[in-house]
């Protein structure tokens, strides 16, 4: 317990870093995944195939390999991701947006967007075909059909798998330890190495933290699902 008391600031900052990774990557993956889903059901054959190849390729590559490639191989081919000295002050210390953090955000976004795409595509397939045909019959272009008719219903139908995807993203933030992002897994390793006698307490604290975060995401998902069910 002594190690937990002395290092509570580092523990809190690591969870705040993980939450920031989750929020930024979650928003990015929803935007990119929605765009990919629209391409996959779009009228342009070349774009459908390109989106299909991207989704199939990236989702079958381990996330660890994606992060390592972006962080170590990316700069060698001129691909780098960075924030310009962004520091987020908190009551427990500062969180610095390093190159590793930016790379983790990009890697998590690219990887998770593939699963978001497939979840939304399943929602699009659940929308009756007649509604899209009726929208086209009154002169709406493809973008208008997707934005005003199909996607709102698709998101309702795809909410459970989307929530599962975002929960997986939250837990996947721990993989960022591979590129030295100071998130939960990194901090857990540092604390357990420095305080081997408190290892089980530390493991319990970090596990409990993730259980709490996952429950918050699940609660928000259930509330949204109930509200949208009433709105149908």
């Amino acid at each position: 317990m002594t190690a937990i008391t002395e290092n509570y600031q580092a523990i809190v900052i690591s969870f705040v870093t993980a939450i920031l990774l989750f929020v930024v990557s979650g928003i990015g993956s929803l935007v990119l995944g929605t765009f990919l889903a629209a391409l996959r059901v779009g009228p342009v054959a070349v774009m459908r195939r390109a989106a299909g190849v991207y989704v199939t390729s990236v989702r079958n590559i381990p996330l660890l390999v994606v992060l390592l490639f972006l962080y170590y191989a990316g700069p060698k081919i001129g691909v780098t991701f960075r924030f310009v000295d962004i520091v987020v002050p908190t009551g427990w210390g500062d969180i610095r947006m390093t190159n590793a953090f930016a790379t983790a955000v990009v890697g998590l976004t690219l990887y998770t967007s593939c699963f978001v795409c497939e979840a939304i595509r399943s929602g699009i397939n659940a929308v009756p075909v007649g509604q899209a045909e009726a929208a086209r019959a009154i002169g709406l272009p493809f973008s208008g059909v997707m934005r005003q008719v199909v996607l709102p219903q698709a998101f309702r139908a795809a909410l459970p798998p989307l929530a599962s995807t975002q929960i997986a993203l939250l837990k996947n933030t721990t993989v960022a330890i591979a590129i030295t992002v100071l998130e939960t897994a990194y901090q857990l390793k540092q604390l357990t190495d420095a305080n081997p006698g408190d290892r089980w307490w530390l493991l319990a604290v970090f596990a409990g933290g993730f259980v709490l975060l996952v429950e918050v995401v699940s609660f928000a998902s259930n509330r949204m699902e109930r509200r949208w069910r009433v709105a149908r």
Side-chain angles (χ1 to χ4, degrees):
M1 291 298 294
T2 303
I4 297 178
T5 302
E6 293 177 349
N7 297 285
Y8 76 96
Q9 291 183 343
I11 294 173
V12 171
I13 289 177
S14 70
F15 272 103
V16 172
T17 303
I19 292 171
L20 283 174
L21 274 176
F22 166 67
V23 171
V24 178
S25 303
I27 294 172
S29 64
L30 285 173
V31 173
L32 180 57
T34 302
F35 177 70
L36 290 171
L39 291 181
R40 295 207 67 183
V41 300
V44 183
V46 174
M47 302 303 289
R48 283 201 309 269
R49 294 193 184 97
V53 169
Y54 172 82
V55 170
T56 303
S57 301
V58 176
R59 72 176 179 176
N60 289 319
I61 300 174
L63 175 58
L64 178 61
V65 175
V66 173
L67 293 179
L68 291 176
F69 176 82
L70 293 175
Y71 189 69
Y72 292 107
K76 297 182 182 300
I77 59 175
V79 179
T80 57
F81 309 98
R82 68 180 63 208
F83 293 116
V84 184
D85 296 329
I86 297 179
V87 178
V88 179
T90 69
W92 304 278
D94 294 338
I95 299 175
R96 297 188 175 275
M97 304 298 193
T98 61
N99 293 354
F101 185 93
T103 302
V105 167
V106 173
L108 288 167
T109 298
L110 294 176
Y111 182 78
T112 308
S113 64
C114 298
F115 298 92
V116 170
C117 169
E118 293 302 280
I120 294 177
R121 192 163 70 96
S122 69
I124 292 174
N125 292 333
V127 177
V129 178
Q131 296 194 24
E133 292 178 347
R136 286 193 293 268
I138 63 175
L140 282 178
F142 175 75
S143 59
V145 173
M146 293 297 294
R147 185 176 63 254
Q148 299 180 35
V149 178
V150 176
L151 284 179
Q153 300 180 72
F155 272 106
R156 289 181 181 178
L159 184 56
L162 280 176
S164 298
T165 300
Q166 295 303 307
I167 288 173
L169 169 62
L170 175 59
K171 293 183 287 187
N172 282 342
T173 58
T174 58
V175 183
I177 185 179
I179 56 175
T180 66
V181 177
L182 304 181
E183 44 68 61
T184 50
Y186 183 94
Q187 195 60 55
L188 176 60
K189 183 178 185 303
Q190 296 295 315
L191 292 176
T192 52
D193 288 346
N195 306 278
D198 294 315
R199 180 171 299 166
W200 294 111
W201 286 107
L202 291 167
L203 289 171
V205 168
F206 278 89
F210 270 100
V211 169
L212 178 62
L213 292 176
V214 169
E215 286 301 318
V216 170
V217 176
S218 299
F219 176 77
S221 172
N222 291 335
R223 289 296 299 269
M224 291 175 64
E225 190 174 355
R226 284 198 296 270
R227 176 175 297 182
W228 284 357
R229 186 184 299 122
V230 173
R232 288 182 179 179

